[in-house]
Structure formats: C-alpha cells, structure tokens
Amino acid sequence: MDMNKMTQKSQEALQEGQNAALRYSHAEVDSEHLLLALSTQGDGLLARLLARMEVAVDSFRAAVEGELEKRPRVSGPGKESYITRRLQELFVRAEDEAGELRDDYISVEHLVLAFIDEEADSAAGRLCARFNITRERFLAVLMEIR
C-alpha cells in the first residue's frame, strides 16, 4: 500500500482507523476500523453520500461500532496493532477502482466501492447490504456530486 497514492482524506482515515483499533484494544487494524473512520469524518464524503442515499449516518456509524464491539480485545504491554491482509486487499481493490474511474489517487469513494464489493461474510459487506448501499446506488449519487 503506497501512501503516496492516497488522497489526504484517505490517509487521515487510515490513521484514524489505526487509532480506533487502539481505542478498542484490538490487535488488528481491519476494514471496519477504516469504515468507522470514514463515517466519522465530519466534512467527509461518505457521510454526504450516505445522506444522499437516505441512509441515516448515525445509525450506520452505530452499526459499525457495534461490529467492532464484538471483536476480542487485547491488553498488556506490546499491544501494537497491525494492518490485516484483508485491509491491505481492500486498498488494492480501491486502487483498481481508482484506475477504472481514471483517477490518479485512491480517495474515499474508491475505498467505499471496495467495501461495497466485500463478501457478505465480512462485517463491512453485511453492513453495506443491511443499509442497501449498493454499487449502483453509490455510483449514481457519486456522479451527482462529481
């Protein structure tokens, strides 16, 4: 994952996702930590797009937090968090999305598109399905904003 290929907002979200993992005392920084960070960016794109899709941002955020609460916690010395393979793969898919949209940098919309394509056995995939965040709906709203 090349940080130089990420927009400022994407880099900030990754950093905040890492902070979220620490706050929850999780050993891993995973996709849902990033999803939480994206949903809490005050002036962020995800909140605006969710609102345009008539998804209650607070409910979505609470659902992500609920998924994170279910995860095991670690304590004691040496509780650094590492980025999971799944999150690394999400960034690869986001980079592919950026290429398809002819964008030079990985931005929030590319990350969200990668989340939407996650399988239903992941918490992020289930959340997207539960809130009816589909690729078609998301792209339609995104194109209105772009």
Side-chain angles (χ1 to χ4, degrees), residues 65-96:
E65 290 170 341
E67 289 293 332
L68 290 172
E69 286 290 341
K70 296 176 187 176
R71 293 182 178 212
R73 296 174 185 262
V74 295
S75 61
K79 59 177 194 172
E80 302 87 31
S81 298
Y82 65 92
I83 294 175
T84 64
R85 178 175 176 88
R86 184 171 150 243
L87 182 55
Q88 292 174 14
E89 290 170 352
L90 181 113
F91 277 102
V92 169
R93 288 193 313 274
E95 188 172 7
D96 293 343

Side-chain angles (χ1 to χ4, degrees), residues 23-80:
R23 278 193 300 279
Y24 280 94
S25 297
H26 293 157
E28 307 171 324
V29 181
D30 208 351
S31 298
E32 289 74 26
H33 296 101
L34 179 63
L35 189 57
L36 177 63
L38 290 170
S39 70
T40 58
Q41 286 181 327
D43 60 343
L45 180 64
L46 180 57
R48 287 184 300 174
L49 292 172
L50 289 176
R52 284 191 157 221
M53 287 190 292
E54 299 179 354
V55 172
V57 178
D58 290 339
S59 296
F60 182 79
R61 186 178 308 121
V64 176
E65 290 170 341
E67 289 293 332
L68 290 172
E69 286 290 341
K70 296 176 187 176
R71 293 182 178 212
R73 296 174 185 262
V74 295
S75 61
K79 59 177 194 172
E80 302 87 31

Side-chain angles (χ1 to χ4, degrees), residues 97 100-101 113-114 116-117 133-140:
E97 293 288 351
E100 286 182 32
L101 292 173
L113 285 167
I116 291 170
D117 288 343
I133 303 169
T134 65
R135 183 176 190 82
E136 295 75 26
R137 286 183 70 212
F138 184 81
L139 283 172

Side-chain angles (χ1 to χ4, degrees), residues 1-21:
M1 162 176 50
D2 184 356
M3 296 289 285
N4 294 320
K5 290 185 176 183
M6 296 171 62
T7 63
Q8 184 68 34
K9 286 291 184 188
S10 296
Q11 290 178 21
E12 289 170 7
L14 177 57
Q15 180 63 51
E16 188 50 40
Q18 292 171 320
N19 292 342

